[in-house]
Amino acid sequence: MGMGTIMIETRAADEGLPISGADVVIRSNGRVLAELKTDGSGQTEKVSVEAPDKENTLSPNAPGPHYGTVEVTVSKPGFATVVISNVQIFDGIDAYLPVHMHPAAEGWQEPERTVIPPPAVEGAEERVIQAAATLRDPPSGSLEPFALRDVIVPDYITVHLGKPNDYARNIRVPFAEYIKNVTSSEIYPTWPQNSLLANIHAIVSFTLNRVYTEWYRSRGFPFDITNSTQFDMAFVENRDIFTNISQLVDMYFNTYARRTGHRNPFFTEFCNGTTATCPGMSQWGTVALANQGLTPIQILRRYYPNDLELVTTNNIQSITESYPGVALREGSSGADVKRMQDFLNRIRVNYPLIPQITNPNGTFGPDTAAAVQTFQRTFNMIPDGIIGRATWNRISYIWVAVTKLAELTGEGERIGIGLTPPTSVLRLGSRGADVLELQYLLNFISQYYATIPSVIQDSLFGTSTRDAVMEFQRQFGLNADGIVGPATWNRLYSVYRSINTEAPIPPGPTPPPVPTIPPFPGFLIRNGSRGEAVRTVQEALNTLAATIPSIPRLTVDGIFGNKTQNAVTAFQRYFGLNADGIVGPITWNRLMNEAASVHPGPTPPPPPPSELPPFPGFFIALGSVGNHVLTIQQAINRVSARIPAIPSVTADSIFGTGTRNAVIAFQNRFGLTPDGIVGQQTWDRLMREAAV
């Protein structure tokens, strides 16, 4: 008998909120194996569980059982209890079970139950993609798909939990998490690494082919792929994920197979190769080929055309900031490092076990490496302390989740709800204040229920609002007609109140401010406010207006009027905050920190243009060398002495990545296009600022 491990993760609000202090009970055959509590990151310790020997999973003819199973129960006051059965344990494999917890709505006491089915490689259902007559002419690997102009890796993918024409829920899943789930649901994690990689490449390629061809959406379906193994691939909502598979997917989720000379992802059809056969890859066959020493691409070429190649795309849509193209590690510096430091410090507000980066100045030191390592351990990545593409994208994704959650307790003017629900009946085409309240409620609730899409709060009941209403109704056992009558209003109110009163929402402010800045006064500062707090805001805005042209200068009179509101809004837009013109704790701390980073001394007038170094007449960019590069570097260093947020550089006449990052930081600071290229506009502004 072998041994595997399982660790439980409890999260809410699209991973933005770890659930600490949750009670976790792990049972095997009715016997309690462990009683645990989750920590500040929402995780338990690893629990060792007996499992059949690994050898039982390496041959299709080996006798079963192939893995052990446990039942996991997770509970915490204020949240619905979750029970997940048949959680799979493999010999020698670490697994983690992500449990997404929902606030317990009033009168909703039943536990949320999931039963994980066996891996698809054991099943007998043959994939009949080529014979899906109801969907009309599915694409084959040899045909050029038609829909999208470029191959993209979507940040999210919408999965239909059934066959294409079945009435079933659709859920949005982060793309990499979808690939991890499918791989864990299709095959055994004990297989040789090259076999695992061949299967991952096939799964990624299959998925991207569905996205690229708009296979389902072009036929009127509101999803990208199904979880039916008859038509697509296995996906099991709320299943456990195997850590070795998770780490491989983090590295290769944007690598796919195509034929040489073709753009489109190849249609990598596959089946288990024993109980079901197909023209494509045999999953069991990859094990034998890997044991013979074949690489992943060699394995794929055994089943698909010999001119198949593996390519990596950087076209990842909707990631907050594109990866800079080079891994960040100790010794790195520049705007990209500063961005990751700011993201990690914000994430630690929700995940307090991540150590604070006390001086996020754009230099990657030991404290940044420690924060990165803890982040990687928290999210089941290889804890090497290096921000490569996978870690960059994961940090960006979690930052989006926690900052989106902060909107729930943020500083903006938001519509509230009354003591009793409205009496109106809303449907497609409705308009007005009640629609706006409905949209606010849906957006609030959607943070905790990933299947409910967010909507634009525009007071218009359009198709997106109707779809969100229908998903809410399905989620809570109502008639899913997309019409908001008394039953739906009452349920919306009860769910909202249960979340608002029982769910622990993290504090809104970003990490603790530097002690030298004025503390937030403890109340919102908005149009109509008066006093010293307003004066402090106006002075800080004027400090920044000297270097950020989009922020207008103000009269410092302690009166918050329209001009001050416009300046606050301009500041919020420039720094990516919620542009509502209201100064709450997030805006206050960012405003004071940014103003403190600007040299407080008087600013002398710039010299006449005739005294500035003239633009050389050509673009200067990554790879350029010479005296014009040296002039840029010296100018950057003079500006950096006044504005520390712009990193200094080595004045060596070589335009490397450090210089490019500093140029981008300068361009961001002064409202220029942040492309890292010095054209005439950037040159002239840089020389003027350096002469101050």
Side-chain angles (χ1 to χ4, degrees), residues 469-486:
V469 169
M470 292 175 68
E471 186 55 47
F472 173 86
Q473 291 169 326
R474 280 192 287 266
Q475 181 77 46
F476 290 96
L478 302 170
N479 179 31
D481 57 7
I483 299 172
V484 182

Side-chain angles (χ1 to χ4, degrees), residues 341-390:
Q341 290 171 326
D342 289 341
F343 280 18
L344 287 165
N345 273 347
R346 175 60 187 90
I347 290 168
R348 75 173 296 274
V349 174
N350 295 55
Y351 289 86
L353 298 187
I354 297 174
Q356 183 176 1
I357 302 170
T358 55
N359 186 20
N361 59 1
T363 299
F364 199 126
D367 59 341
T368 301
V372 171
Q373 285 181 310
T374 303
F375 175 90
Q376 290 167 325
R377 279 192 291 268
T378 298
F379 293 97
N380 303 293
M381 310 184 79
I382 298 174
D384 56 9
I386 299 171
I387 303 177
R389 175 177 297 281

